[in-house]
Amino acid sequence: MMIKVMSLLLFWCFTSQTVSLIIPRRYESIINFGNSISDTGNYLLMGAPAYPAVGKLPYGETFFKHPTGRFSDGRLIVDFIAEAFDLPSYLPPYLGVANGSHVRNNGVNFAVAGATALDPEFFYAQNIGWTLWTNSSLNVQLGWFKKFKSSLCHTKHDCEEYFRKTLFLVGEIGGNDYNFQFLAGATIDQIRPIVPLVVGAIVNATSMLIEEGATELVVPGNFPLGCSVVYLALVESTNQSDYDPTNGCLKAYNSFSEYHNEHLKRELQVLREKYPNARIIYADYYGAAIPLYLAPKLYGFYGGPRIACCGGGGPYNYDLSAWCGDPGSTACENPSAFVNWDGIHFTEAAYRYIAQGVLCGPHASPPLMP
Ligand SMILES: *[C@@H]1O[C@H](CO)[C@@H](O)[C@H](O)[C@H]1NC(C)=O
Ligand SMILES: *[C@@H]1O[C@H](CO)[C@@H](O)[C@H](O)[C@H]1NC(C)=O
Ligand SMILES: *[C@@H]1O[C@H](CO)[C@@H](O)[C@H](O)[C@H]1NC(C)=O
Ligand SMILES: *[C@@H]1O[C@H](CO)[C@@H](O)[C@H](O)[C@H]1NC(C)=O
C-alpha cells in the first residue's frame, strides 16, 4: 500500500516544476464541502434546476465519458487529490449515498454547485431580485455532515481515530457569494464590505469541523476572478489600463480575490493559534492558477487561457444565451489545450495543474504532503 502511494506521489510530484521527495501523510478518506468547483454530483441529483446542461455531454466527455454532475470535461481538483492519496474511488456525492458505512474508507462529498458560504437569507434580505442556484449553503452542508457523522464512525474514540486519517476540504467556497452579485452588476466597492462576513462563515465552518473532531483541514482561497472568462466577457472594459499586461486579466477583480485571500489567511492564523492540535492548511488556488495565464503555452494550453472551450461564441466563446451544453453552443476539439471549460469552470487539464501545485507545492501552506 505504502509503496503504491509513494510511487503515485513520485509520479505526481515529478511532473510538477519542483521535485520533492516527501513521505506523505496517509489519508484514508476525504470529506469535502464546497460549490461547483468540487461538486461531484449533488447538484445534478437535485435536478440541476438552474443548469440542466451539466447532466448532458459534453460535460464529462474527457475522462468519465458521460456526465457525472461535475462542471468540467473530466476530473476536478478533489478527484486529483483523491488519486494522489490512493483512495479506493472518487468521492461520491452525499445525496447519492444511502449508508455512511459504505463510504467510510473513501469519504463523501457535500459540495453543491452554486453554494454560497453565507446563508441564502443574507442574499434574499437584500432584495437581490434573482434567486440563488441552490439554498444548500455551507451551513446546510455542515448540517448534512453532522447527521451523517454517526454512520461514518461510532464511539468518541472511533471518531477520533477515523478523523485523524481523514482530510477535510473546506472549499473553495465563497466565490459564489461574490460572483452572483458582481455578475448582476454590483461594484467592487459595494461588495468589499461583505468579505469579512464571507471569510467569517468559512472560518466558522472550519472551527465547527475541528470541534466535531477534524484535525487535518485544507481551506482553499479564491481563484483570480479577473482571469475568469465570465468576468472578462461580462465586465469587459474599453480601457486597456484595466487589464494587467502580464496576464491579460482584469486587475481590479484579481485584487479583489487577493483581498479575500489575505483576509482568509489572517483568520486561519487566528484559528491555528486557537486549535494548536489541528493542522490547518491554506491552499493558494490563486497562486496555483495564475501561471496558466502568464505562460499558458509553457504548460500546453495552446487554445488560449481566456477563451472558453465550450460555449456559444463571441470573443471569449461565452454567450449568456447559449451556455455550454445548450443548443447553439459548441465544444472545442481538444479541451486539454484550454484552461477554461465553460466560461466559469476550468478544464480537467487546468484542474490537474492546479491540484499539482497544491499537492506537490508550492501552493499549500503548510505543504499538503510534508
Ligand atoms: C448500513 O450498512 C451497515 C453495514 O453494511 C449495516 O450494518 C447497517 O444496517 C446499514 N444501515 C442502514 C440504515 O441501512
Ligand atoms: C431557496 O429558498 C427560497 C426562499 O425560501 C425559495 O424561494 C427558492 O425557491 C429556493 N431555491 C431553491 C433553488 O431551492
Ligand atoms: C461566526 O460565529 C460567530 C460566533 O459563533 C458568530 O457571532 C458569527 O455571526 C458567525 N459568522 C458568520 C458569518 O456566520
Ligand atoms: C483608464 O483607467 C485608468 C485607471 O484604471 C484611469 O486613470 C484612466 O483615466 C482611464 N482612462 C479612460 C479613458 O477612462
Side-chain angles (χ1 to χ4, degrees):
M1 169 77 175
M2 191 63 193
I3 289 166
K4 195 172 167 213
V5 170
M6 284 286 293
S7 62
L8 268 167
L9 282 173
L10 284 179
F11 165 74
W12 266 93
C13 296
F14 261 122
T15 53
S16 82
Q17 313 97 308
T18 48
V19 178
S20 40
L21 287 165
I22 43 179
I23 310 268
R25 243 161 239 256
R26 288 190 299 153
Y27 298 117
E28 290 174 5
S29 66
I30 296 175
I31 293 179
N32 184 74
F33 302 86
N35 54 33
S36 58
I37 298 298
S38 60
D39 184 354
T40 55
N42 285 313
Y43 189 66
L44 185 57
L45 286 166
M46 290 171 152
Y51 205 122
V54 74
K56 290 183 279 187
L57 288 169
Y59 282 91
E61 67 172 9
T62 299
F63 183 78
F64 298 98
K65 309 291 181 195
H66 64 93
T68 61
R70 286 169 176 79
F71 281 75
S72 186
D73 58 313
R75 288 162 288 182
L76 311 177
I77 297 170
V78 66
D79 296 315
F80 289 113
I81 295 176
E83 280 185 15
F85 289 110
D86 201 16
L87 296 190
S89 81
Y90 299 112
L91 292 197
Y94 162 72
L95 295 176
V97 176
N99 184 334
S101 62
H102 299 158
V103 297
R104 177 179 161 111
N105 298 318
N106 189 27
V108 64
N109 193 348
F110 296 99
V112 181
T116 49
L118 292 169
D119 291 331
E121 292 72 28
F122 174 84
F123 299 95
Y124 291 125
Q126 302 182 41
N127 283 318
I128 47 177
W130 36 269
T131 51
L132 299 170
W133 273 28
T134 178
N135 290 331
S136 302
S137 62
L138 187 51
N139 266 330
V140 170
Q141 296 175 27
L142 286 173
W144 290 346
F145 166 72
K146 285 189 193 167
K147 253 191 3 213
F148 199 66
K149 187 181 159 185
S150 62
S151 68
L152 281 172
C153 59
H154 302 289
T155 62
K156 188 166 184 291
H157 176 75
D158 178 45
C159 289
E160 274 173 14
E161 287 292 302
Y162 178 61
F163 287 152
R164 233 195 297 285
K165 291 178 242 151
T166 299
L167 181 63
F168 287 79
L169 301 175
V170 190
E172 183 275 325
I173 184 96
N176 286 332
D177 298 58
Y178 310 130
N179 295 338
F180 285 130
Q181 305 199 73
F182 281 141
L183 300 173
T187 65
I188 290 177
D189 285 342
Q190 285 171 329
I191 301 307
R192 201 177 283 112
I194 78 161
V195 169
L197 299 178
V198 172
V199 167
I202 299 168
V203 167
N204 278 7
T206 307
S207 52
M208 197 220 77
L209 288 170
I210 296 170
E211 301 280 352
E212 291 282 326
T215 59
E216 301 278 327
L217 305 102
V218 172
V219 186
N222 205 343
F223 293 99
L225 292 180
C227 299
S228 173
V229 164
V230 64
Y231 280 75
L232 289 163
L234 298 183
V235 287
E236 201 171 14
S237 170
T238 51
N239 186 343
Q240 271 313 308
S241 59
D242 288 340
Y243 295 90
D244 182 331
T246 66
N247 55 34
C249 303
L250 286 159
K251 284 193 285 199
Y253 292 92
N254 275 0
S255 300
F256 180 85
S257 295
E258 292 190 285
Y259 179 73
H260 166 91
N261 291 345
E262 288 309 318
H263 251 278
L264 179 59
K265 281 193 272 188
R266 243 191 339 265
E267 293 302 319
L268 291 180
Q269 189 49 39
V270 173
L271 219 53
R272 287 186 190 108
E273 280 152 27
K274 183 168 172 201
Y275 299 107
N277 295 327
R279 212 164 69 108
I280 304 169
I281 298 169
Y282 172 72
D284 180 15
Y285 282 6
Y286 184 104
I290 213 80
L292 298 176
Y293 303 98
L294 289 173
K297 292 194 170 113
L298 187 61
Y299 307 108
F301 294 97
Y302 294 96
R306 290 176 301 277
I307 300 172
C309 164
C310 180
Y316 302 95
N317 195 23
Y318 184 82
D319 184 336
L320 279 176
S321 63
W323 285 349
C324 175
D326 285 342
S329 74
T330 52
C332 64
E333 287 287 309
N334 183 7
S336 70
F338 285 75
V339 171
N340 191 290
W341 167 243
D342 60 5
I344 302 171
H345 308 96
F346 293 86
T347 57
E348 170 179 282
Y351 279 137
R352 174 193 280 114
Y353 177 83
I354 294 166
Q356 258 171 7
V358 170
L359 281 160
C360 305
H363 298 296
S365 162
L368 188 50
M369 298 181 149

PDB file of all heavy atoms in Angstrom, residues 152-178:
ATOM      1  N   LEU A 152     -20.665   7.298   9.853  1.00  0.00           N
ATOM      2  CA  LEU A 152     -19.269   7.164   9.422  1.00  0.00           C
ATOM      3  C   LEU A 152     -18.413   6.575  10.535  1.00  0.00           C
ATOM      4  O   LEU A 152     -17.471   5.821  10.295  1.00  0.00           O
ATOM      5  CB  LEU A 152     -18.695   8.534   9.050  1.00  0.00           C
ATOM      6  CG  LEU A 152     -19.052   9.121   7.690  1.00  0.00           C
ATOM      7  CD1 LEU A 152     -18.558  10.550   7.594  1.00  0.00           C
ATOM      8  CD2 LEU A 152     -18.470   8.286   6.564  1.00  0.00           C
ATOM      9  N   CYS A 153     -18.700   6.982  11.775  1.00  0.00           N
ATOM     10  CA  CYS A 153     -17.914   6.492  12.903  1.00  0.00           C
ATOM     11  C   CYS A 153     -18.836   6.431  14.112  1.00  0.00           C
ATOM     12  O   CYS A 153     -19.908   7.030  14.112  1.00  0.00           O
ATOM     13  CB  CYS A 153     -16.718   7.414  13.159  1.00  0.00           C
ATOM     14  SG  CYS A 153     -17.166   9.123  13.508  1.00  0.00           S
ATOM     15  N   HIS A 154     -18.401   5.706  15.143  1.00  0.00           N
ATOM     16  CA  HIS A 154     -19.363   5.402  16.198  1.00  0.00           C
ATOM     17  C   HIS A 154     -19.006   6.009  17.550  1.00  0.00           C
ATOM     18  O   HIS A 154     -19.454   7.102  17.854  1.00  0.00           O
ATOM     19  CB  HIS A 154     -19.634   3.897  16.211  1.00  0.00           C
ATOM     20  CG  HIS A 154     -20.139   3.472  14.848  1.00  0.00           C
ATOM     21  ND1 HIS A 154     -21.389   3.814  14.387  1.00  0.00           N
ATOM     22  CD2 HIS A 154     -19.533   2.833  13.817  1.00  0.00           C
ATOM     23  CE1 HIS A 154     -21.549   3.389  13.142  1.00  0.00           C
ATOM     24  NE2 HIS A 154     -20.431   2.782  12.776  1.00  0.00           N
ATOM     25  N   THR A 155     -18.148   5.375  18.317  1.00  0.00           N
ATOM     26  CA  THR A 155     -17.835   5.947  19.642  1.00  0.00           C
ATOM     27  C   THR A 155     -16.955   7.185  19.465  1.00  0.00           C
ATOM     28  O   THR A 155     -16.427   7.443  18.378  1.00  0.00           O
ATOM     29  CB  THR A 155     -17.052   4.935  20.490  1.00  0.00           C
ATOM     30  OG1 THR A 155     -15.818   4.661  19.798  1.00  0.00           O
ATOM     31  CG2 THR A 155     -17.835   3.652  20.675  1.00  0.00           C
ATOM     32  N   LYS A 156     -16.779   7.927  20.540  1.00  0.00           N
ATOM     33  CA  LYS A 156     -15.916   9.115  20.503  1.00  0.00           C
ATOM     34  C   LYS A 156     -14.503   8.707  20.075  1.00  0.00           C
ATOM     35  O   LYS A 156     -13.883   9.358  19.225  1.00  0.00           O
ATOM     36  CB  LYS A 156     -15.890   9.758  21.904  1.00  0.00           C
ATOM     37  CG  LYS A 156     -15.182  11.095  21.954  1.00  0.00           C
ATOM     38  CD  LYS A 156     -15.474  11.824  23.264  1.00  0.00           C
ATOM     39  CE  LYS A 156     -14.856  13.214  23.307  1.00  0.00           C
ATOM     40  NZ  LYS A 156     -13.393  13.222  23.384  1.00  0.00           N
ATOM     41  N   HIS A 157     -14.045   7.604  20.639  1.00  0.00           N
ATOM     42  CA  HIS A 157     -12.700   7.124  20.324  1.00  0.00           C
ATOM     43  C   HIS A 157     -12.593   6.739  18.849  1.00  0.00           C
ATOM     44  O   HIS A 157     -11.628   7.093  18.160  1.00  0.00           O
ATOM     45  CB  HIS A 157     -12.356   5.931  21.226  1.00  0.00           C
ATOM     46  CG  HIS A 157     -11.028   5.319  20.914  1.00  0.00           C
ATOM     47  ND1 HIS A 157      -9.832   5.893  21.273  1.00  0.00           N
ATOM     48  CD2 HIS A 157     -10.703   4.179  20.239  1.00  0.00           C
ATOM     49  CE1 HIS A 157      -8.825   5.147  20.845  1.00  0.00           C
ATOM     50  NE2 HIS A 157      -9.329   4.098  20.224  1.00  0.00           N
ATOM     51  N   ASP A 158     -13.600   6.018  18.356  1.00  0.00           N
ATOM     52  CA  ASP A 158     -13.606   5.595  16.953  1.00  0.00           C
ATOM     53  C   ASP A 158     -13.572   6.817  16.037  1.00  0.00           C
ATOM     54  O   ASP A 158     -12.822   6.853  15.054  1.00  0.00           O
ATOM     55  CB  ASP A 158     -14.850   4.743  16.690  1.00  0.00           C
ATOM     56  CG  ASP A 158     -14.959   4.314  15.231  1.00  0.00           C
ATOM     57  OD1 ASP A 158     -13.936   3.887  14.659  1.00  0.00           O
ATOM     58  OD2 ASP A 158     -16.070   4.409  14.659  1.00  0.00           O
ATOM     59  N   CYS A 159     -14.374   7.820  16.359  1.00  0.00           N
ATOM     60  CA  CYS A 159     -14.415   9.021  15.515  1.00  0.00           C
ATOM     61  C   CYS A 159     -13.074   9.748  15.550  1.00  0.00           C
ATOM     62  O   CYS A 159     -12.593  10.224  14.520  1.00  0.00           O
ATOM     63  CB  CYS A 159     -15.541   9.957  15.959  1.00  0.00           C
ATOM     64  SG  CYS A 159     -17.179   9.314  15.560  1.00  0.00           S
ATOM     65  N   GLU A 160     -12.449   9.804  16.718  1.00  0.00           N
ATOM     66  CA  GLU A 160     -11.135  10.460  16.802  1.00  0.00           C
ATOM     67  C   GLU A 160     -10.120   9.762  15.909  1.00  0.00           C
ATOM     68  O   GLU A 160      -9.390  10.404  15.160  1.00  0.00           O
ATOM     69  CB  GLU A 160     -10.632  10.438  18.253  1.00  0.00           C
ATOM     70  CG  GLU A 160     -11.148  11.610  19.064  1.00  0.00           C
ATOM     71  CD  GLU A 160     -10.794  11.483  20.543  1.00  0.00           C
ATOM     72  OE1 GLU A 160      -9.933  10.636  20.899  1.00  0.00           O
ATOM     73  OE2 GLU A 160     -11.395  12.224  21.329  1.00  0.00           O
ATOM     74  N   GLU A 161     -10.107   8.434  16.010  1.00  0.00           N
ATOM     75  CA  GLU A 161      -9.170   7.646  15.183  1.00  0.00           C
ATOM     76  C   GLU A 161      -9.455   7.852  13.701  1.00  0.00           C
ATOM     77  O   GLU A 161      -8.548   8.019  12.894  1.00  0.00           O
ATOM     78  CB  GLU A 161      -9.324   6.147  15.515  1.00  0.00           C
ATOM     79  CG  GLU A 161      -8.753   5.759  16.848  1.00  0.00           C
ATOM     80  CD  GLU A 161      -7.238   5.868  16.849  1.00  0.00           C
ATOM     81  OE1 GLU A 161      -6.608   5.196  15.993  1.00  0.00           O
ATOM     82  OE2 GLU A 161      -6.701   6.622  17.680  1.00  0.00           O
ATOM     83  N   TYR A 162     -10.722   7.807  13.378  1.00  0.00           N
ATOM     84  CA  TYR A 162     -11.138   7.929  11.981  1.00  0.00           C
ATOM     85  C   TYR A 162     -10.791   9.308  11.417  1.00  0.00           C
ATOM     86  O   TYR A 162     -10.228   9.426  10.329  1.00  0.00           O
ATOM     87  CB  TYR A 162     -12.639   7.653  11.877  1.00  0.00           C
ATOM     88  CG  TYR A 162     -13.191   7.803  10.473  1.00  0.00           C
ATOM     89  CD1 TYR A 162     -12.717   6.997   9.430  1.00  0.00           C
ATOM     90  CD2 TYR A 162     -14.169   8.747  10.188  1.00  0.00           C
ATOM     91  CE1 TYR A 162     -13.216   7.136   8.145  1.00  0.00           C
ATOM     92  CE2 TYR A 162     -14.674   8.887   8.902  1.00  0.00           C
ATOM     93  CZ  TYR A 162     -14.194   8.081   7.887  1.00  0.00           C
ATOM     94  OH  TYR A 162     -14.667   8.227   6.614  1.00  0.00           O
ATOM     95  N   PHE A 163     -11.094  10.352  12.174  1.00  0.00           N
ATOM     96  CA  PHE A 163     -10.859  11.704  11.658  1.00  0.00           C
ATOM     97  C   PHE A 163      -9.383  12.058  11.588  1.00  0.00           C
ATOM     98  O   PHE A 163      -8.987  12.928  10.823  1.00  0.00           O
ATOM     99  CB  PHE A 163     -11.633  12.741  12.483  1.00  0.00           C
ATOM    100  CG  PHE A 163     -13.117  12.710  12.226  1.00  0.00           C
ATOM    101  CD1 PHE A 163     -14.015  13.094  13.205  1.00  0.00           C
ATOM    102  CD2 PHE A 163     -13.619  12.302  10.998  1.00  0.00           C
ATOM    103  CE1 PHE A 163     -15.383  13.076  12.968  1.00  0.00           C
ATOM    104  CE2 PHE A 163     -14.983  12.269  10.750  1.00  0.00           C
ATOM    105  CZ  PHE A 163     -15.872  12.659  11.741  1.00  0.00           C
ATOM    106  N   ARG A 164      -8.561  11.382  12.398  1.00  0.00           N
ATOM    107  CA  ARG A 164      -7.125  11.619  12.296  1.00  0.00           C
ATOM    108  C   ARG A 164      -6.622  11.251  10.903  1.00  0.00           C
ATOM    109  O   ARG A 164      -5.629  11.789  10.430  1.00  0.00           O
ATOM    110  CB  ARG A 164      -6.380  10.787  13.348  1.00  0.00           C
ATOM    111  CG  ARG A 164      -5.454  11.628  14.212  1.00  0.00           C
ATOM    112  CD  ARG A 164      -4.472  10.786  14.993  1.00  0.00           C
ATOM    113  NE  ARG A 164      -5.110   9.877  15.949  1.00  0.00           N
ATOM    114  CZ  ARG A 164      -5.645  10.286  17.110  1.00  0.00           C
ATOM    115  NH1 ARG A 164      -5.621  11.537  17.455  1.00  0.00           N
ATOM    116  NH2 ARG A 164      -6.191   9.412  17.936  1.00  0.00           N
ATOM    117  N   LYS A 165      -7.297  10.306  10.263  1.00  0.00           N
ATOM    118  CA  LYS A 165      -6.863   9.852   8.931  1.00  0.00           C
ATOM    119  C   LYS A 165      -7.791  10.365   7.833  1.00  0.00           C
ATOM    120  O   LYS A 165      -7.818   9.829   6.728  1.00  0.00           O
ATOM    121  CB  LYS A 165      -6.828   8.315   8.917  1.00  0.00           C
ATOM    122  CG  LYS A 165      -5.721   7.768   9.803  1.00  0.00           C
ATOM    123  CD  LYS A 165      -5.733   6.257   9.826  1.00  0.00           C
ATOM    124  CE  LYS A 165      -5.994   5.733  11.228  1.00  0.00           C
ATOM    125  NZ  LYS A 165      -6.673   4.443  11.262  1.00  0.00           N
ATOM    126  N   THR A 166      -8.564  11.391   8.166  1.00  0.00           N
ATOM    127  CA  THR A 166      -9.490  11.972   7.192  1.00  0.00           C
ATOM    128  C   THR A 166      -9.069  13.399   6.866  1.00  0.00           C
ATOM    129  O   THR A 166      -8.793  14.188   7.774  1.00  0.00           O
ATOM    130  CB  THR A 166     -10.923  11.992   7.776  1.00  0.00           C
ATOM    131  OG1 THR A 166     -11.320  10.647   8.058  1.00  0.00           O
ATOM    132  CG2 THR A 166     -11.912  12.610   6.795  1.00  0.00           C
ATOM    133  N   LEU A 167      -9.014  13.687   5.583  1.00  0.00           N
ATOM    134  CA  LEU A 167      -8.698  15.046   5.154  1.00  0.00           C
ATOM    135  C   LEU A 167     -10.006  15.791   4.898  1.00  0.00           C
ATOM    136  O   LEU A 167     -10.848  15.334   4.126  1.00  0.00           O
ATOM    137  CB  LEU A 167      -7.867  14.992   3.872  1.00  0.00           C
ATOM    138  CG  LEU A 167      -7.414  16.328   3.282  1.00  0.00           C
ATOM    139  CD1 LEU A 167      -6.488  17.069   4.237  1.00  0.00           C
ATOM    140  CD2 LEU A 167      -6.718  16.111   1.944  1.00  0.00           C
ATOM    141  N   PHE A 168     -10.167  16.920   5.562  1.00  0.00           N
ATOM    142  CA  PHE A 168     -11.351  17.760   5.359  1.00  0.00           C
ATOM    143  C   PHE A 168     -11.002  18.898   4.408  1.00  0.00           C
ATOM    144  O   PHE A 168     -10.043  19.637   4.654  1.00  0.00           O
ATOM    145  CB  PHE A 168     -11.843  18.347   6.697  1.00  0.00           C
ATOM    146  CG  PHE A 168     -12.514  17.337   7.582  1.00  0.00           C
ATOM    147  CD1 PHE A 168     -11.766  16.449   8.331  1.00  0.00           C
ATOM    148  CD2 PHE A 168     -13.899  17.266   7.652  1.00  0.00           C
ATOM    149  CE1 PHE A 168     -12.389  15.497   9.146  1.00  0.00           C
ATOM    150  CE2 PHE A 168     -14.531  16.325   8.455  1.00  0.00           C
ATOM    151  CZ  PHE A 168     -13.774  15.432   9.206  1.00  0.00           C
ATOM    152  N   LEU A 169     -11.759  19.022   3.337  1.00  0.00           N
ATOM    153  CA  LEU A 169     -11.560  20.127   2.396  1.00  0.00           C
ATOM    154  C   LEU A 169     -12.724  21.100   2.554  1.00  0.00           C
ATOM    155  O   LEU A 169     -13.881  20.718   2.335  1.00  0.00           O
ATOM    156  CB  LEU A 169     -11.509  19.616   0.956  1.00  0.00           C
ATOM    157  CG  LEU A 169     -10.433  18.589   0.616  1.00  0.00           C
ATOM    158  CD1 LEU A 169     -10.603  18.105  -0.830  1.00  0.00           C
ATOM    159  CD2 LEU A 169      -9.047  19.195   0.771  1.00  0.00           C
ATOM    160  N   VAL A 170     -12.409  22.317   2.957  1.00  0.00           N
ATOM    161  CA  VAL A 170     -13.459  23.319   3.180  1.00  0.00           C
ATOM    162  C   VAL A 170     -13.364  24.350   2.048  1.00  0.00           C
ATOM    163  O   VAL A 170     -12.795  25.418   2.183  1.00  0.00           O
ATOM    164  CB  VAL A 170     -13.292  23.995   4.555  1.00  0.00           C
ATOM    165  CG1 VAL A 170     -14.521  24.850   4.871  1.00  0.00           C
ATOM    166  CG2 VAL A 170     -13.044  22.969   5.651  1.00  0.00           C
ATOM    167  N   GLY A 171     -13.927  23.988   0.904  1.00  0.00           N
ATOM    168  CA  GLY A 171     -13.905  24.903  -0.239  1.00  0.00           C
ATOM    169  C   GLY A 171     -13.117  24.341  -1.402  1.00  0.00           C
ATOM    170  O   GLY A 171     -12.725  23.180  -1.363  1.00  0.00           O
ATOM    171  N   GLU A 172     -12.972  25.139  -2.407  1.00  0.00           N
ATOM    172  CA  GLU A 172     -13.238  26.575  -2.469  1.00  0.00           C
ATOM    173  C   GLU A 172     -14.730  26.843  -2.233  1.00  0.00           C
ATOM    174  O   GLU A 172     -15.598  26.213  -2.806  1.00  0.00           O
ATOM    175  CB  GLU A 172     -12.788  27.118  -3.844  1.00  0.00           C
ATOM    176  CG  GLU A 172     -12.926  28.630  -4.040  1.00  0.00           C
ATOM    177  CD  GLU A 172     -14.309  29.055  -4.500  1.00  0.00           C
ATOM    178  OE1 GLU A 172     -14.936  28.339  -5.256  1.00  0.00           O
ATOM    179  OE2 GLU A 172     -14.751  30.118  -4.056  1.00  0.00           O
ATOM    180  N   ILE A 173     -14.994  27.824  -1.380  1.00  0.00           N
ATOM    181  CA  ILE A 173     -16.355  28.281  -1.129  1.00  0.00           C
ATOM    182  C   ILE A 173     -16.251  29.780  -0.842  1.00  0.00           C
ATOM    183  O   ILE A 173     -15.231  30.240  -0.322  1.00  0.00           O
ATOM    184  CB  ILE A 173     -17.010  27.476   0.028  1.00  0.00           C
ATOM    185  CG1 ILE A 173     -18.466  27.857   0.258  1.00  0.00           C
ATOM    186  CG2 ILE A 173     -16.231  27.643   1.336  1.00  0.00           C
ATOM    187  CD1 ILE A 173     -19.466  27.000  -0.401  1.00  0.00           C
ATOM    188  N   GLY A 174     -17.278  30.515  -1.216  1.00  0.00           N
ATOM    189  CA  GLY A 174     -17.246  31.971  -1.030  1.00  0.00           C
ATOM    190  C   GLY A 174     -17.204  32.700  -2.363  1.00  0.00           C
ATOM    191  O   GLY A 174     -17.703  33.822  -2.467  1.00  0.00           O
ATOM    192  N   GLY A 175     -16.632  32.061  -3.372  1.00  0.00           N
ATOM    193  CA  GLY A 175     -16.567  32.696  -4.691  1.00  0.00           C
ATOM    194  C   GLY A 175     -17.949  33.082  -5.192  1.00  0.00           C
ATOM    195  O   GLY A 175     -18.156  34.180  -5.725  1.00  0.00           O
ATOM    196  N   ASN A 176     -18.921  32.196  -4.987  1.00  0.00           N
ATOM    197  CA  ASN A 176     -20.277  32.497  -5.475  1.00  0.00           C
ATOM    198  C   ASN A 176     -20.916  33.660  -4.738  1.00  0.00           C
ATOM    199  O   ASN A 176     -21.746  34.368  -5.307  1.00  0.00           O
ATOM    200  CB  ASN A 176     -21.180  31.272  -5.329  1.00  0.00           C
ATOM    201  CG  ASN A 176     -20.861  30.221  -6.367  1.00  0.00           C
ATOM    202  OD1 ASN A 176     -20.388  30.541  -7.451  1.00  0.00           O
ATOM    203  ND2 ASN A 176     -21.108  28.968  -6.031  1.00  0.00           N
ATOM    204  N   ASP A 177     -20.551  33.846  -3.473  1.00  0.00           N
ATOM    205  CA  ASP A 177     -21.110  34.972  -2.717  1.00  0.00           C
ATOM    206  C   ASP A 177     -20.802  36.279  -3.454  1.00  0.00           C
ATOM    207  O   ASP A 177     -21.566  37.248  -3.359  1.00  0.00           O
ATOM    208  CB  ASP A 177     -20.520  35.014  -1.303  1.00  0.00           C
ATOM    209  CG  ASP A 177     -20.855  33.755  -0.509  1.00  0.00           C
ATOM    210  OD1 ASP A 177     -20.497  32.654  -0.964  1.00  0.00           O
ATOM    211  OD2 ASP A 177     -21.487  33.879   0.555  1.00  0.00           O
ATOM    212  N   TYR A 178     -19.658  36.288  -4.137  1.00  0.00           N
ATOM    213  CA  TYR A 178     -19.264  37.469  -4.911  1.00  0.00           C
ATOM    214  C   TYR A 178     -19.775  37.375  -6.348  1.00  0.00           C
ATOM    215  O   TYR A 178     -20.293  38.349  -6.888  1.00  0.00           O
ATOM    216  CB  TYR A 178     -17.746  37.611  -4.919  1.00  0.00           C
ATOM    217  CG  TYR A 178     -17.111  37.532  -3.552  1.00  0.00           C
ATOM    218  CD1 TYR A 178     -16.027  36.695  -3.303  1.00  0.00           C
ATOM    219  CD2 TYR A 178     -17.609  38.299  -2.495  1.00  0.00           C
ATOM    220  CE1 TYR A 178     -15.439  36.631  -2.055  1.00  0.00           C
ATOM    221  CE2 TYR A 178     -17.028  38.241  -1.239  1.00  0.00           C
ATOM    222  CZ  TYR A 178     -15.942  37.393  -1.027  1.00  0.00           C
ATOM    223  OH  TYR A 178     -15.359  37.325   0.208  1.00  0.00           O
TER     224      TYR A 178
END
